[in-house]
Amino acid sequence: MKAKLYVWTVVALAVVAVGYAVAVYGVTDLQVALFLGGLALLTEWVAVDLPIVGSVSLTFALIYAAVLLGGPVDGAIVAVIGSISIKDILGGKPFLRMAFNTGQYALFTVAAGLVQVALGISPLEATPALTDSGVHWIVGSLAIAATLATLNMVLVGVVISLSTGVSLSAVWRESSRSYAVSLLVLALLGLVLAQLIHVAGLVGTFLIVIPFAVARQTFQVYAQQTEAYRDTVRSLVTVLEAKDPYTRGHSERVAWYARRIAEGLGWGDQEVQKIEWAALLHDIGKVAIPTATLVKPGELTAAEYQEVQEHPALAVEILANIDLLSDVIPFVGAHHERPDSYGYPSGMGAEDIPLGARILSVADCFDAMTSNRSYRRARTYGDAVRELKAVAGTQLDPRCVDVLLERVDDGAVSRLLEGSALDDV
């Protein structure tokens, strides 16, 4: 209910904002606005879904260019046209979601146009060529881009938070870095496009069509490769789940913890994604271990324990035949190695163990202690923390332990065990 009320509020504010802008400022160059609107409609049709960032198209760049060229109303025209996704219409996307998309596009565009007016930045199409491109114009243009990006993130973040129940800070924390990088690139494209149209006219804009097309193709290839990666991981995890039902919850929780550690260590988005997939697959070698051993309610015999110790090496053999997963093999194969060299399967020393494997080891041990096993009850959060600190430096990497304890509290562990915090894994 709150989400619907928010959506309709955004739509109503957008209608008021556009109406005000039309009445006060009017259209600067309808031909340019419609041209950019047509390009925006096309770019929404060929938008691609990217991991981490979400759906990416060039519409943001075109809206930004329209505001720089013509001001708030010209920008609003492009925003409204660009928000119409033929793909969403044909796909039966709910009307309310499409209405929100149009409303938030129009609202943040008019707001950016009003910032442009307040800063005294004249639309390029209303000024002689190359007479308004000094420091003041550049700083003003950056402020316009910042307004577009910030309001876009706020408006979308709030609706996601209201719809999912996830805190707004968590939504922003998970998406802001990747999203900001994408918008920075698109803003630069918009700036180039605006200057090109201003100097060379609409004919000159065709010079930018080829780079736009190449950029789209690059996004598409990357998305296809990543989706193939995801499908492979899902298939392997499904096989393991069929073998050992306990593994599903465990692997996803380990992936959640591993992501937090990697982020705390300053890893980039692509590396964080790799550690997540490595965590999901870290026990894949157990598919070759007898089920009776995996689900045995009591302590394992020496022979059974030796069988279990073989699962990292078995995982390496399984993953070695999948080129897409080659980057995660060192992490998976060494996740039971220890800094004191008493780990398995190779007895590596601290400096030889990949950092990704050390991250997995901490995440794996922490979840093993805080969740129920077939042979014992879970430890309390406090007991698990004390145990982690006790073995830091011998069994576990101390830096990874510190980062985990900084970023994961008792409440997060409880939500994970309930399954309510796993949506981002």
Side-chain angles (χ1 to χ4, degrees):
M1 182 63 184
K2 289 182 178 179
K4 287 186 178 180
L5 179 61
Y6 171 75
V7 168
W8 285 118
T9 300
V10 169
V11 172
L13 289 174
V15 171
V16 172
V18 172
Y20 170 80
V22 170
V24 175
Y25 303 107
V27 178
T28 300
D29 193 323
L30 182 60
Q31 184 180 17
V32 171
L34 291 177
F35 177 79
L36 291 174
L39 285 180
L41 185 64
L42 176 62
T43 60
E44 281 299 315
W45 174 255
V46 297
V48 294
D49 293 328
L50 294 179
I52 309 296
V53 179
S55 181
V56 174
S57 76
L58 299 174
T59 300
F60 182 89
L62 296 168
I63 291 173
Y64 181 42
V67 173
L68 293 178
L69 285 163
V73 178
D74 293 46
I77 292 172
V78 176
V80 171
I81 296 176
S83 69
I84 301 171
S85 172
I86 299 175
K87 184 165 57 175
D88 288 343
I89 295 173
L90 296 178
K93 188 173 183 178
F95 172 77
L96 197 60
R97 293 180 63 182
M98 292 190 289
F100 172 76
N101 198 41
T102 300
Q104 66 102 4
Y105 267 43
L107 189 57
F108 72 66
T109 302
V110 172
L114 295 180
V115 168
Q116 178 187 38
V117 173
L119 293 175
I121 306 297
S122 300
L124 290 175
E125 290 301 284
T127 60
L130 301 178
T131 61
D132 195 10
S133 57
V135 174
H136 177 246
W137 187 88
I138 293 173
V139 172
S141 298
L142 293 175
I144 295 168
T147 302
L148 287 169
T150 301
L151 288 180
N152 183 209
M153 291 179 63
V154 169
L155 292 170
V156 173
V158 171
V159 77
I160 291 175
S161 177
L162 293 175
S163 300
T164 62
V166 178
S167 68
L168 186 57
S169 61
V171 173
W172 284 338
R173 185 169 59 250
E174 292 302 318
S175 62
S176 59
R177 181 168 54 186
S178 298
Y179 195 57
V181 171
S182 298
L183 291 186
L184 174 62
V185 174
L186 293 174
L188 291 174
L189 284 172
L191 189 63
V192 171
L193 180 59
Q195 289 288 356
L196 180 61
I197 292 176
H198 184 46
V199 174
L202 295 181
V203 174
T205 61
F206 287 106
L207 297 175
I208 206 69
V209 170
I210 293 178
F212 270 48
V214 170
R216 188 262 171 182
Q217 184 62 27
T218 301
F219 285 145
Q220 186 66 61
V221 170
Y222 177 63
Q224 290 171 348
Q225 290 178 337
T226 303
E227 190 57 33
Y229 207 148
R230 289 179 183 275
D231 288 344
T232 302
V233 172
R234 292 190 193 105
S235 298
L236 291 172
V237 172
T238 299
V239 172
L240 182 55
E241 290 170 5
K243 179 82 173 183
D244 180 8
Y246 162 78
T247 304
R248 180 182 186 276
H250 171 66
S251 295
E252 291 183 341
R253 291 191 299 271
V254 171
W256 196 91
Y257 293 134
R259 179 184 181 91
R260 269 71 199 165
I261 297 172
E263 290 174 339
L265 292 172
W267 283 28
D269 292 327
Q270 291 185 347
E271 295 304 312
V272 169
Q273 183 68 81
K274 288 178 184 177
I275 200 67
E276 279 190 337
W277 285 329
L280 290 171
L281 295 170
H282 76 283
D283 279 337
I284 191 64
K286 290 182 178 179
V287 297
I289 298 173
T291 303
T293 300
L294 294 177
V295 300
K296 185 177 179 178
E299 292 189 11
L300 301 178
T301 66
E304 289 169 338
Y305 186 63
Q306 185 174 1
E307 284 182 333
V308 172
Q309 285 186 315
E310 294 175 0
H311 79 270
L314 293 171
V316 170
E317 292 181 16
I318 293 170
L319 300 179
N321 297 316
I322 306 173
D323 290 340
L324 286 172
L325 297 174
S326 60
D327 289 342
V328 308
I329 290 177
F331 304 160
V332 174
H335 77 276
H336 277 296
E337 301 289 355
R338 296 170 42 152
D340 60 8
S341 302
Y342 285 99
Y344 61 86
S346 302
M348 292 181 179
E351 297 304 318
D352 297 323
I353 304 172
L355 180 55
R358 286 178 262 164
I359 291 173
L360 290 184
S361 183
V362 172
D364 187 25
C365 288
F366 186 69
D367 184 66
M369 288 190 287
T370 55
S371 58
N372 291 323
R373 292 297 180 100
S374 59
Y375 53 88
R376 61 151 176 79
R377 298 286 298 172
R379 297 187 184 187
T380 65
Y381 174 79
D383 286 343
V385 169
R386 283 187 286 274
E387 182 64 19
L388 282 185
K389 291 180 177 180
V391 300
T394 55
Q395 181 179 340
L396 302 174
D397 182 275
R399 184 165 55 130
C400 294
V401 169
D402 290 341
V403 173
L404 175 69
L405 298 182
E406 288 172 1
R407 297 174 66 85
V408 175
D409 57 20
D410 193 8
V413 174
S414 298
R415 290 192 298 273
L416 281 173
L417 293 172
E418 295 169 357
S420 60
L422 290 170
D423 293 340
D424 59 346
V425 175

